[in-house]
């Protein structure tokens, strides 16, 4: 025998593997796993608990597990049995309810604990009765269980316990009400918040009330010398703010500001909380920081962005810290973590003015791509002529050219001449074809000669840019260049031509688009399908109809959407599209139904999709039926609603039922 | 107060779920419903870059466009944060140096070979940190040592290979280590020394890709810190299966401090070190498998 297998770890592994190898259907499996529940190793006990869940005789397993719960002195086995019972599901409910009658209070307590974990609302009454148990531990366990899964009756009972003389029960009641998010009358909680033993739980509950008195009491707790009390207060403050939209916080912020402003050292405390581990505490600290409007907190606030879940609050709070806070951010940009830098830049976008260009350009020098995108937007907002040159330069960066082009458009409103001059220079120096597109958009007819010249350029990217830009500048010239470009050897140029034709519209464009729909290149065909819809070229409907049956789902989906735009979707085509294996094609067809004249056929088709395996198709079908307003579909919608499990689909079905019921 | 989301398209819940499911199918990363805002905000730049007006169109782009594969990678890169820095979670690193390295030195004395895997290495700070710690221990200087850094994002791997970092990445680096293992390359920027770089190899790997994991060699320790948070329970199980498969029997798995393997089966055993809790792939009963 090797050393490894003789070692405790090796022996444990052997027992673990042996249990994993047991067939749960084999005779004796129940006893083997039950023995495993008593193993000294938690891994082996865990494997035994998992194995028991797979034994087919669930009732027998439950009974055996309950017997293990009664084994005094076997703490590990009892915990493993409790874990297994909590995973057994509804079959364990009744035996556990019986166990609540057991003479041993320990077993009654375990029963209440596990029932709480099972979370089946039908045992609410039983747990309510357990609140009168003779044993305090059982009463507390029942209160905690009700706090996990209780309905209105449980909430009422927990509220009743707030007056009990037993502090432990009052505590369990407060915790339970907080978990259930049920707020009793404010004055009852306000009384309990003065009790040091209950203070933290009562504060947590205060977070459920509307801003005002509760906010004031929560904020006063930030003066507490006890860190855990301050943290409970911050959690409550975060909860209060969370119930409001970020822009509906006026009253809360005003109350918080008035109280927090009078607490010595509060800024340091908030800074400390912003750097803490607990997400809820940090959320509350953000609210406090925003209410204080304390610029010196800008950097710690930005650093909270390392927690994704708090991103929105961080952005909002930075907005509350004013220009001084943003200046501090800009100064500290180089030392911030990446997420903090990104939100800091986002906040700076709102602050920038014509003097900010040098700082923004310095950021462009070293910043990461995500951040550079934000900086580019900020440059557009400066409205400074100094921002034109860096933006034109950025048109050469494929990742940023789209954003830079839009930022340039913003600048052109204020500085048309400077922008056009810089763009023309960029094109002359052949900096990037992206400059051609922007120049075409901004320059108008004066740049047409340049575009004609570029349409004959030896590089395809320049030809494509010129052809597409010309379409935006002048219809006639655009058509002429597009026609020539359709014969270009480069698909990129042909795609540009097709897009241009889509913008032109008209008979001639429709004729050319017919050719493009048969192009050898998929990209050109895709662009052509979209262009037919954009151009309103109804004469191409037959071509599109044949594409609905195409094996390429992308083409089929686009064809249906284009036909919808044209308003020429026939019933046959719809039927083909609705039975397509790709959900996006089906949804495109449903959208066509919604926009078409309400017809019995259309409604019947939509009804047939209420049972579609994909939730998004069922949602789309419900929306269409709600929109068609045909009362004969109501029954089908109600039936679908009664069996629907997906939350979004249920909401769409409920809305459709309501619309048809009310005749909206 | 100006609004930070002015003029940008809103993501409907339906669009969120479609995009979320698409990303999940690609790499196992699950984005919870309460993260809709984060997803919306992180994908805005992608829509801007592509000139797409709404998230429904973006979803169709990801499904059908010829550039869809590249765009999906760009989307996933935007959705996963790459926040990391040198010598992160110092207590864990201390336990690694003081308690695990002596064990590994003894265990591997006959092969004089050591392999560490920084799974989800982002821009390389963790992988280089491990190499620096190994060098600093003085235990493995003439050994065959390799630290493998893998990540889903090709962009961060490019940064990792460049090995140049600024103040944010160095905020927890002790001054003496900064002196020993980095060379200044500009204002506020440093580069990792070549002898450290020589021990580190980077590669692209999707942790959800079970077949692709065969490219990662068997390792003695896996650092997979703050990666599991991106996965749901099912994907975590798959990833843990991959990690278990790539760990030598008896090898160690170190997770981030906010992470644990509760409810994820018991393929690993919990090891109580003096300074930390770590996980270990159990030894094979017969001692085979190395």
């Amino acid at each position: 025998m090797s050393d490894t297998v003789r070692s405790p770890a090796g022996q444990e592994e052997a027992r673990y593997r042996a249990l994993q190898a047991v067939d749960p259907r084999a005779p004796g499996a129940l006893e083997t796993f039950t023995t495993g529940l008593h193993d000294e190793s938690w891994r082996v006990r865990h494997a035994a608990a998992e194995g028991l869940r797979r034994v087919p005789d669930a009732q027998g397993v439950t009974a055996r597990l309950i017997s293990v719960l009664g084994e005094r002195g076997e703490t590990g086995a009892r915990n493993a049995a409790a874990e297994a019972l909590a995973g057994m599901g509804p079959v364990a409910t009744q035996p556990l309810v019986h166990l609540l009658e057991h003479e041993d209070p320990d077993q009654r307590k375990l029963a209440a604990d596990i029932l709480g974990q099972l979370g089946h609302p039908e045992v609410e009454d039983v747990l309510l009765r357990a609140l009168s148990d003779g044993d305090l531990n059982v009463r507390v366990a029942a209160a905690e269980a009700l706090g996990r899964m209780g309905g209105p009756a449980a909430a009422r009972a927990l509220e009743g316990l707030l007056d009990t003389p037993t502090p432990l029960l009052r505590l369990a009641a407060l915790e339970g009400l907080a978990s259930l998010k049920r707020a009793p009358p404010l004055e009852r909680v306000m009384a309990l918040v003065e009790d040091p033993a209950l203070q933290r739980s009562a504060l947590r509950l205060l977070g459920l009330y509307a801003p005002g008195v509760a906010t004031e009491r929560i904020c006063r707790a930030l003066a507490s010398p006890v860190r855990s009390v301050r943290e409970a207060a911050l959690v409550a403050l975060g909860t209060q703010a969370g119930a409001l939209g970020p822009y509906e916080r006026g009253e809360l912020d005003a109350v918080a500001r008035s109280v927090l402003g009078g607490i010595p050292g509060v800024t340091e405390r908030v800074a400390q909380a912003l750097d803490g581990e607990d997400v809820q505490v940090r959320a509350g600290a953000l609210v406090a920081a925003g209410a204080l409007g304390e610029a010196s907190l800008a950097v710690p606030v930005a650093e909270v962005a390392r927690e994704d879940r708090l991103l929105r609050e961080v952005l909002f709070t930075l907005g509350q810290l004013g220009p001084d806070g943003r200046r501090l951010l800009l100064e500290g940009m180089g030392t911030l973590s990446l997420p903090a830098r990104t939100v800091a830049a986002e906040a700076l976008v709102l602050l920038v003015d014509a003097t900010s260009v040098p700082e923004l350009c310095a950021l462009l020098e070293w910043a990461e791509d995500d951040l550079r995108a934000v900086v580019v937007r900020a440059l557009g907002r400066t409205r400074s002529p100094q921002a034109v040159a860096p933006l034109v330069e950025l048109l050469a960066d494929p990742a940023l050219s789209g954003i830079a082009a839009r930022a340039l458009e913003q600048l052109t409103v204020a500085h048309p001449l400077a922008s056009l001059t810089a763009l023309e220079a960029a094109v002359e120096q052949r900096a990037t074809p992206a400059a051609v597109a922007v120049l075409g958009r901004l320059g108008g007819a004066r740049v047409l000669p340049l575009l004609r010249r570029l349409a004959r350029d030896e590089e395809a990217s320049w030809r494509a840019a010129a052809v597409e830009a010309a379409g935006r500048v002048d219809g006639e010239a655009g058509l002429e260049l597009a026609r020539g470009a359709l014969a270009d050897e480069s698909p990129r140029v042909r795609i540009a031509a097709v897009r241009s034709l889509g913008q032109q519209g008209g008979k001639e464009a429709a004729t050319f688009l017919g050719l493009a729909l048969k192009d050898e290149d998929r990209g050109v065909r895709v662009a052509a399908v979209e262009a037919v819809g954009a151009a309103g070229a109804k004469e191409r409907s037959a071509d599109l109809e044949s594409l609905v049956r195409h094996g390429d789902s992308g083409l089929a989906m686009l064809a249906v959407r284009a036909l919808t735009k044209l308003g020429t979707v026939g019933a046959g085509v719809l039927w083909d599209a609705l039975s397509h294996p790709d959900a996006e094609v089906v949804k495109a067809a449903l959208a066509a139904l919604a926009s078409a004249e309400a017809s019995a056929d259309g409604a019947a088709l939509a009804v047939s999709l209420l049972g579609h395996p994909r939730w998004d198709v069922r949602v789309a079908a419900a929306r269409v039926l709600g929109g068609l307003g045909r009362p004969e579909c109501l029954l089908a919608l109600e039936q679908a609603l009664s069996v629907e499990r997906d939350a979004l689909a249920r909401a769409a079905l409920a809305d459709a039922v309501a619309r048809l019921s009310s005749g909206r | 107060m100006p609004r930070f989301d002015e003029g940008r398209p809103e993501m409907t819940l339906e669009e969120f779920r479609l995009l979320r499911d698409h990303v999940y199918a690609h790499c196992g990363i699950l984005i919870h419903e309460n993260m809709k805002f984060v997803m919306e905000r992180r994908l805005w730049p992608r829509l801007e870059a592509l000139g797409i007006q709404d998230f429904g169109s973006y979803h169709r782009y990801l499904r059908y466009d010829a550039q869809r594969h590249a765009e999906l990678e760009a989307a996933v890169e935007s959705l996963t944060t790459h926040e990391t820095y040198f010598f992160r979670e110092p207590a864990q690193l201390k336990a690694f140096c003081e308690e695990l390295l002596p064990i590994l030195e003894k265990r591997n004395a006959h092969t004089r070979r050591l392999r560490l895997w920084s799974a989800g290495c982002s821009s390389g700070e963790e992988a280089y940190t491990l190499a620096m710690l190994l060098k600093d221990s003085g235990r493995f200087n003439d050994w065959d040592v390799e630290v493998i850094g893998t990540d889903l994002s090709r962009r961060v791997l490019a940064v990792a290979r460049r090995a140049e970092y600024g103040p944010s990445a160095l905020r927890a680096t002790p001054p003496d280590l900064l002196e020993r293992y980095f060379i200044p390359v500009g204002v506020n920027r440093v580069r990792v020394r070549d002898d450290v770089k020589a021990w580190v190899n980077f590669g692209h790997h999707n942790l959800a890709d079970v077949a692709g994991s065969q490219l990662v060699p068997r390792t003695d320790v896996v650092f997979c810190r703050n990666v599991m948070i991106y996965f749901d329970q099912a994907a975590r199980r798959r990833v843990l299966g991959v990690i278990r498969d790539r760990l030598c029997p008896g090898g160690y798995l170190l997770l981030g401090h906010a992470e644990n393997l509760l409810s994820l089966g018991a393929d690993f055993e919990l090891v109580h070190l003096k300074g930390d809790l770590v996980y270990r792939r159990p030894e094979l009963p017969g001692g085979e498998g190395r």
Side-chain angles (χ1 to χ4, degrees), chain A residues 351-391:
Chain A
L351 169 80
V352 291
D353 57 28
T355 65
S356 312
V357 176
E359 285 156 331
L360 292 170
C361 288
L363 266 179
L364 275 177
E365 289 296 314
W366 59 268
E368 297 81 2
D369 280 356
D370 301 0
L371 186 52
R372 281 156 56 87
V374 181
V375 174
V376 172
R377 280 202 295 124
L379 279 169
R381 288 176 71 112
T382 60
R383 301 176 70 82
S384 162
Q386 282 180 298
V388 171
L391 283 175

Side-chain angles (χ1 to χ4, degrees), chain B residues 116-128:
Chain B
L116 269 58
W117 179 16
S118 168
C121 68
S122 187
S123 37
E125 288 90 331
E126 181 179 85
Y128 289 129

